[in-house]
Amino acid sequence: MTWYLKMVNGDEIEIFNIEEFRAGQPLPQNKAEIYSAMVTFGFLTYSDAMLSIPNMELWQEFDKSLKDKCFGRTTEI
C-alpha cells in the first residue's frame, strides 16, 4: 500500500518488472500485471523504470479513492 501513498503524495515509484498487458486480456493476476494494465488504460505513466500518476485529474481520483473505508487505517494517514 505504500506505493499508493507515495504516488498520491506526488512521488514516483521505481519498478523494473512490469508485465506487458493488452486490452482485452483476462483480468490481471499479480502486481506487475496490474501496474501494466493501469499504464495501458492511462491511469499511470511508466518511463525509465518509474511509475507515476500522470495528471492532476487522475491524482484527484486516486486521492478520493483513499477515503473509501475499504482502505481501513490508510484513510487516516
Side-chain angles (χ1 to χ4, degrees):
M1 183 55 62
T2 54
W3 68 269
Y4 194 90
L5 293 174
K6 285 181 181 181
M7 284 198 290
V8 169
N9 194 39
D11 298 333
E12 294 180 318
I13 61 166
E14 192 170 38
I15 179 168
F16 294 103
N17 237 357
I18 194 163
E19 301 285 328
E20 186 174 329
F21 182 86
R22 292 184 185 95
Q25 277 186 231
L27 292 175
Q29 299 298 311
N30 58 50
K31 190 187 307 187
E33 289 178 359
I34 292 169
Y35 288 149
S36 180
M38 292 180 79
V39 169
T40 298
F41 293 120
F43 295 112
L44 296 175
T45 299
Y46 182 71
S47 179
D48 297 325
M50 300 302 284
L51 203 58
S52 62
I53 299 173
N55 59 49
M56 182 60 76
E57 291 81 5
L58 285 170
W59 177 85
Q60 289 169 337
E61 292 302 317
F62 276 92
D63 188 51
K64 278 195 269 185
S65 72
L66 278 176
K67 294 172 176 67
D68 192 297
K69 64 181 177 182
C70 73
F71 280 98
R73 183 157 157 25
T74 302
T75 60
E76 298 169 21
I77 297 170

